[in-house]
Amino acid sequence: MTRFLRALFGFALIIVVFMIGLLTWQPGSVAYKDVVLYVAVIGAAYWLSYVFFFLLGKGELLRSLQWVVSVVLFVTLVLTLYVGEMRYGSKRWLNGVQVSEFSKLLLLPGLFKSSGTYLLVGLISAFLVILEPDLGTGLIIAASVIIGSFVKMLKGRNTNMIWTVIIAAIVVLPVVFSYSLELRQGVVARIAEMPTFHEHWEDRFQNWADPLRDPFGESYQTLSALNSLGQSAGFGKGIGMLTTLPVSWADYAFAELVRKFGLLSGLLVLMLLGLLVQLILNWGGRSKYYVAAVLMLHVIVNLYTVANVLPATGIPLPFVGRALQNSVVLSALTGAALGEAT
């Protein structure tokens, strides 16, 4: 398979997952022309990134952009903290642009000359995102930068295996909270004492610690998602059934998908996303471990949020929920990784 065909296959996977995700959106919430626009924007981000890194992946221009990109990144993040638009308890928007999302794109390892500099820039950026406050995105950026830098520095033949082991450990770690409400409540009590803890996070952490504390109020979305997962056996309830999820097209789109079409539909989406990650790991360039980590952490955090294994963080399932800016950034990251020279 040629380099271009691999990129074409990756783009096809993204569009198929996106079209499956459309089935979860409430009827009438999006028009046909909007679907065409979404696909066009996602496609443009993917192919522009692919072509840019294909043409410049071996050149010194990317290395010389290190400080320019870092300055732009820091300035926009600081501006967002001071003059950003407040939505849903966070200052994440600057003139309609969700800066925390585009930070992931500006942090591609291929843009930086040394792993040490890249790690420092990435961790500072993650800290600024957390201050917005956007805890979920900030932690994903920090974890992805650390994983990408660590695996990249190894430069061994088993780096794909090491990356897989790290991701597997991240998958297993939160499960220790699944069967003990007392443990969750103890963790929340300690976190709430931290000086950086924001009131914006309090309800989400409390719902995670005890989802039955306010079943018809703050906890309703969490309990509705768990109920949707419980209805996923067989072939689901069908597309015409009304949902109990107030916001079924956003962070909890996976729960709505399996409720409508059964657990196999969810497994299909996860398999397609797994193929996309494997494509990146096999054929991506220097940034492949960072990009693959970003995608996988989105999947892990979203699924664990839906199952209430982790507190709600606002992290969507890649290309499934109606989060256009997130889809644009993730598609651009994928295109860039596949466009880079190995």
Side-chain angles (χ1 to χ4, degrees):
M1 186 183 292
T2 66
R3 190 172 174 183
F4 176 75
L5 288 178
R6 293 195 294 264
L8 188 61
F9 180 59
F11 180 67
L13 287 174
I14 290 175
I15 296 304
V16 169
V17 173
F18 177 76
M19 298 306 292
I20 293 175
L22 281 180
L23 299 176
T24 69
W25 299 1
Q26 289 183 348
S29 65
V30 60
Y32 173 77
K33 64 178 182 179
D34 293 330
V35 173
V36 175
L37 177 62
Y38 290 169
V39 172
V41 172
I42 291 172
Y46 181 94
W47 289 112
L48 286 174
S49 297
Y50 174 82
V51 171
F52 180 80
F53 280 87
F54 178 82
L55 295 176
L56 303 176
K58 287 185 176 180
E60 290 297 317
L61 177 59
L62 293 177
R63 293 173 182 263
S64 66
L65 287 175
Q66 172 186 351
W67 296 111
V68 176
V69 172
S70 299
V71 170
V72 171
L73 179 60
F74 291 157
V75 168
T76 53
L77 286 173
V78 171
L79 280 176
T80 303
L81 285 175
Y82 286 97
V83 300
E85 180 184 351
M86 180 71 73
R87 298 184 191 179
Y88 312 112
S90 297
K91 280 188 175 181
R92 289 183 284 178
W93 284 265
L94 193 63
N95 292 328
V97 176
Q98 195 169 341
V99 178
S100 57
E101 286 292 343
F102 284 90
S103 299
K104 303 168 190 173
L105 183 58
L106 294 177
L107 279 168
L108 278 175
L111 294 175
F112 299 98
K113 190 172 183 179
S114 67
S115 297
T117 303
Y118 166 69
L119 182 62
L120 178 62
V121 171
L123 292 179
I124 294 175
S125 301
F127 178 71
L128 292 174
V129 170
I130 291 174
L131 291 180
E132 291 181 357
D134 187 352
L135 182 62
T137 302
L139 292 179
I140 283 182
I141 290 174
S144 300
V145 166
I146 292 171
I147 293 171
S149 299
F150 174 72
V151 178
K152 182 173 176 285
M153 286 188 295
L154 295 177
K155 297 181 180 179
R157 298 181 61 182
N158 297 320
T159 46
N160 281 10
M161 180 62 70
I162 294 171
W163 181 92
T164 303
V165 170
I166 294 173
I167 293 297
I170 295 174
V171 170
V172 172
L173 186 61
V175 178
V176 299
F177 299 107
S178 298
Y179 302 103
S180 175
L181 289 179
E182 291 183 1
L183 179 60
R184 294 189 188 191
Q185 292 166 357
V187 169
V188 171
R190 290 184 178 88
I191 292 177
E193 295 174 355
M194 297 173 62
T196 55
F197 188 82
H198 291 266
E199 293 182 2
H200 169 63
W201 301 336
E202 185 173 356
D203 286 334
R204 296 183 177 187
F205 275 85
Q206 292 295 344
N207 291 338
W208 171 67
D210 183 8
L212 295 176
R213 73 184 186 96
D214 188 12
F216 299 104
E218 296 293 342
S219 302
Y220 183 76
Q221 180 89 338
T222 299
L223 294 175
S224 297
L226 293 173
N227 182 56
S228 294
L229 292 178
Q231 298 175 0
S232 65
F235 296 100
K237 298 296 182 180
I239 197 169
M241 297 296 292
L242 294 176
T243 180
T244 58
L245 279 165
V247 191
S248 62
W249 59 88
D251 307 339
Y252 292 85
F254 182 81
E256 184 65 6
L257 175 67
V258 297
R259 187 192 74 87
K260 286 180 176 178
F261 303 106
L263 186 59
L264 289 178
S265 65
L267 294 177
L268 173 62
V269 167
L270 296 181
M271 183 190 72
L272 294 175
L273 290 173
L275 284 175
L276 183 62
V277 170
Q278 193 60 45
L279 185 71
I280 293 170
L281 289 176
N282 288 343
W283 305 109
R286 291 167 295 176
S287 64
K288 63 182 181 180
Y289 296 113
Y290 168 76
V291 174
V294 170
L295 280 170
M296 280 305 302
L297 289 174
H298 271 76
V299 173
I300 294 167
V301 172
N302 181 268
L303 294 184
Y304 277 2
T305 296
V306 171
N308 200 40
V309 177
L310 289 174
T313 56
I315 301 299
L317 188 64
F319 312 114
V320 176
R322 193 172 67 184
L324 181 59
Q325 294 193 43
N326 179 265
S327 296
V328 166
V329 168
L330 295 183
S331 61
L333 285 171
T334 304
L338 294 176
E340 265 190 291
T342 56

